[in-house]
């Protein structure tokens, strides 16, 4: 055993060198173990043995179905897929479709930035809820040419800042408004702002939805705006008459390609709709009217202009309008809505059944074209619904139509009086 200071220093130096050597050996063993573990995981995981296009498609099927967009979260895909193993991380990062859609409900600038970078050149769908600010807007503007679908819900939305983002030449669908729980606090915009948004932001728009948007005229000189590709236009939810949006914008739009229109008629003159239909000459296929407070005579001119209609939905508390509409359709099987296939009438607040013989006559005369007929009351509290049932003769006639394939629903939200 060394006793002198030099000998002890030499021994300490040698032991230190041996320790460092063993540390290097240990690190090498750990790296070898990790590599072997990855190889073992890859051997055990059949997903990593598949071609990239197949494994990518499997990952893509993990995303929420339908219109739901992925929300950033460590426990939900696609971010969840990054935390399983290195192989899965590689697959997820080499699958841009996984990152092409995002739902953001907080001002996560870095999250949105990294998310869209992973999407590369893929078409983008962005849904923002109470998260649009200047920094978020700058990121969205950076990907303007890739943006295909944009949805913004904010109870303090400033259209000026949105227009300042720039133009989105590939944008096909646009939804702006307040969330359902914000319905008492509508966004209030001038007509010039709305028209400027449509003209500057999305010249090639195909679908547009305004929810809980109120408009006002600010005495600015306005020109009629033509959107040649717009096929779908919706204002509000027709099932809730309290939150229907204002549609003063309609006189300033020409939509020659329009196929579907959801329109609140509260405070809107039929002449406005009539003039719009005449000006656009659109191949309208579906029309949803809510809260009509005019007579059927005023509405009839509009319906005659929309001869291409295949689907008509009417949400109203005017019982006389319902009666007159059904009678006119029964008496004019070829002149009024000759192409109608689906007819739905939602009454507020109760159910009032017109003459059953008129309904039977209407459906019999148009049995080769009408595939679905609905006359529904919004309330479930109708008392004795059995008193509203038709006579046995009418019931037999409706039963024959149903046996031929026609869907017939007359009743409350929870009970169909035509349950054969």
């Amino acid at each position: 055993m060394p006793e002198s200071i030099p000998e002890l220093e030499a021994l300490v130096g040698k032991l230190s060198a041996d320790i460092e050597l063993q540390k290097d050996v240990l690190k090498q063993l750990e790296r070898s173990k990790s590599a072997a573990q990855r190889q073992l995981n890859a051997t055990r995981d059949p997903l990593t043995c598949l071609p990239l296009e197949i494994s990518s498609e499997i990952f893509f099927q993990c995303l929420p179905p339908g219109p739901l967009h992925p929300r950033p979260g460590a426990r939900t895909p696609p971010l969840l897929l990054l935390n399983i193993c290195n192989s899965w991380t590689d697959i997820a990062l080499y699958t841009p479709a996984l990152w092409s859609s995002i739902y953001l409900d907080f001002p996560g600038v870095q999250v949105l930035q990294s998310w869209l970078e992973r999407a590369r050149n893929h078409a983008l769908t962005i849904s923002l809820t109470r998260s649009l600010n200047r920094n978020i807007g700058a990121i969205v503007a950076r990907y303007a040419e890739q943006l295909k679908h944009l949805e913004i819900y904010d109870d303090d939305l400033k259209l000026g800042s949105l227009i300042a983002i720039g133009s989105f030449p590939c944008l096909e669908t646009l939804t702006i408004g307040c969330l359902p729980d914000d319905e008492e606090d509508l966004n209030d915009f001038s007509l010039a702002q709305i028209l400027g948004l449509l003209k500057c932001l999305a010249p090639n728009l195909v679908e547009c939805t305004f929810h809980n948007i109120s408009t006002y005229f600010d005495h600015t000189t306005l020109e009629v705006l033509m959107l040649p590709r717009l096929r779908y236009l919706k204002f509000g939810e027709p099932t809730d008459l309290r939150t229907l949006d204002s549609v003063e914008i309609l006189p300033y739009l020409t939509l020659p390609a329009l196929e579907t229109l959801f329109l609140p008629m509260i405070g809107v003159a039929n002449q406005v709709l009539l003039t719009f239909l005449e000006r656009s000459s659109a191949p309208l296929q579906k029309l949803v009217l809510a809260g009509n407070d005019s007579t059927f005579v005023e509405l009839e001119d509009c319906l005659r202009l929309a001869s291409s209609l295949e689907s008509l939905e009417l949400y109203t508390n005017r019982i006389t309008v319902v009666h007159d509409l059904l009678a006119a359709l029964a008496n004019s099987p070829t002149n009024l809505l000759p192409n109608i296939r689906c007819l739905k009438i939602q009454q507020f607040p109760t159910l009032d059944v017109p003459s059953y013989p008129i309904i039977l006559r209407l459906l019999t005369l148009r049995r080769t074209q009408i595939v679905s007929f609905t006359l529904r009351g919004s309330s479930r509290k109708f008392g004795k619904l059995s008193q509203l049932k038709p006579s046995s003769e009418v019931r037999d006639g409706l039963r024959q139509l149903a046996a031929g394939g026609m869907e017939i629903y007359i009743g409350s939200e929870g009970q169909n009086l035509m349950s054969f």
Side-chain angles (χ1 to χ4, degrees):
M1 188 73 179
E3 295 181 358
S4 65
I5 291 177
E7 290 177 332
L8 290 172
E9 288 178 342
L11 178 59
V12 170
K14 181 178 183 303
L15 291 174
S16 297
D18 290 342
I19 290 173
E20 292 301 321
L21 178 61
Q22 294 305 317
K23 284 183 179 179
D24 291 339
V25 172
L26 181 59
K27 290 180 181 178
Q28 182 59 41
L29 290 173
E30 288 176 345
R31 286 194 291 267
S32 299
K33 178 186 175 183
S34 297
Q37 186 65 56
R38 286 196 297 269
Q39 186 176 359
L40 177 60
N41 291 339
T43 303
R44 287 177 172 176
D45 185 1
L47 190 66
T48 60
C49 300
L50 296 173
L52 180 59
E53 58 271 17
I54 297 179
S55 56
S56 295
E57 180 61 26
I58 293 174
F59 276 16
F60 185 75
Q61 295 302 320
C62 295
L63 298 180
L68 299 176
H69 309 306
R71 179 179 179 177
R75 297 185 177 182
T76 57
L79 287 180
L80 174 63
L81 302 173
L82 299 179
N83 301 323
I84 306 301
C85 64
N86 291 337
S87 297
W88 283 34
T89 298
D90 292 340
I91 295 172
L93 293 179
Y94 281 97
T95 307
L98 285 175
W99 313 95
S100 64
S101 179
I102 184 173
Y103 169 75
L104 195 65
D105 59 356
F106 63 96
V109 176
Q110 294 301 323
V111 171
L112 182 62
Q113 175 66 40
S114 61
W115 194 287
L116 298 184
E117 285 177 354
R118 293 167 183 162
R120 298 188 185 87
N121 295 324
H122 210 281
L124 299 176
T125 296
I126 300 178
S127 180
L128 304 175
T129 298
R130 297 193 183 100
S131 60
L132 179 65
N133 57 33
R134 182 174 60 184
N135 295 328
I136 293 290
I139 295 175
V140 173
R142 198 175 306 160
Y143 293 88
E145 294 186 357
Q146 295 174 235
L147 192 58
K148 190 173 183 180
H149 308 285
L150 177 62
E151 183 178 68
I152 299 177
Y153 284 104
D154 202 315
D155 52 4
D156 191 27
L157 181 62
K158 299 295 188 294
L159 287 191
S161 60
L162 186 59
I163 295 174
I165 292 178
S167 176
F168 297 95
C170 298
L171 192 68
E172 293 185 1
T173 68
L174 172 66
T175 299
I176 60 173
C178 295
L179 292 174
D181 57 352
D182 298 325
E183 61 191 29
E184 298 300 328
D185 186 22
L186 304 185
N187 274 316
D188 197 22
F189 303 123
S190 72
L191 290 175
Q193 287 178 312
I194 294 291
L195 290 171
L197 174 72
L198 295 177
K199 181 179 180 180
C200 301
L201 187 64
N204 295 312
L205 206 60
V206 176
E207 298 184 11
C208 185
T209 298
F210 295 102
H211 185 68
N212 292 339
I213 294 294
S214 176
T215 56
Y216 62 90
F217 185 68
D218 58 358
H219 303 290
T220 303
T221 301
L222 301 175
E223 297 181 356
V224 176
L225 174 64
M226 176 182 288
L227 297 175
R229 299 186 59 196
L230 192 69
R231 298 198 302 263
Y232 179 102
L233 179 61
K234 181 179 180 180
F235 297 91
E237 294 296 334
T239 54
D240 190 350
L241 299 185
R242 298 170 301 170
T243 63
L244 290 177
D245 307 76
S246 181
V247 290
E248 287 88 350
I249 191 175
L250 207 60
Y252 302 98
L253 290 177
T254 298
L255 309 176
L258 190 66
E259 297 176 355
T260 300
L261 176 63
F262 287 70
L263 183 67
M265 296 293 287
I266 296 178
V268 177
N270 283 85
Q271 186 61 40
V272 171
L273 176 58
L274 182 66
T275 303
F276 168 76
L277 294 175
E278 290 177 335
R279 183 174 63 250
S280 296
S281 298
L284 203 60
Q285 297 179 13
K286 182 175 182 177
L287 178 63
V288 181
L289 300 177
N292 193 296
D293 54 6
S294 59
T295 65
F296 173 71
V297 174
E298 297 171 314
L299 180 61
E300 185 177 9
D301 291 337
C302 298
L303 296 181
R304 291 191 181 281
L305 273 180
S307 59
S308 57
L309 270 187
E310 296 183 2
S311 176
L312 173 64
E313 295 185 19
L314 182 64
Y315 296 77
T316 183
N317 54 10
R318 294 292 299 271
I319 303 302
T320 55
V321 173
V322 177
H323 290 208
D324 293 344
L325 171 63
L326 295 178
L329 289 174
N331 295 328
S332 304
T334 58
N335 296 328
L336 183 62
L337 301 183
N339 298 302
I340 195 70
R341 294 176 57 81
C342 299
L343 179 61
K344 178 180 180 180
I345 301 172
Q346 177 81 43
Q347 296 184 15
F348 297 96
T350 58
L351 174 67
D352 181 79
V353 181
S355 171
Y356 275 112
I358 291 179
I359 294 178
L360 178 59
R361 182 166 180 263
L362 161 63
L363 299 182
T364 301
L365 288 174
R366 300 191 179 220
R367 62 185 179 275
T368 59
Q369 61 181 111
I370 292 183
V371 298
S372 177
F373 175 81
T374 300
L375 178 62
R376 194 193 309 262
S378 61
S379 175
R380 298 173 183 268
K381 301 177 181 179
F382 294 126
K384 298 181 180 179
L385 273 175
S386 58
Q387 297 178 355
L388 298 175
K389 288 187 176 182
S391 65
S392 58
E393 180 181 354
V394 171
R395 192 175 178 84
D396 289 342
L398 295 176
R399 183 182 292 113
Q400 292 179 10
L401 293 172
M406 185 182 297
E407 296 180 2
I408 303 175
Y409 192 110
I410 302 175
S412 67
E413 296 289 350
Q415 183 175 357
N416 184 6
L417 297 176
M418 300 296 106
S419 297
F420 302 111

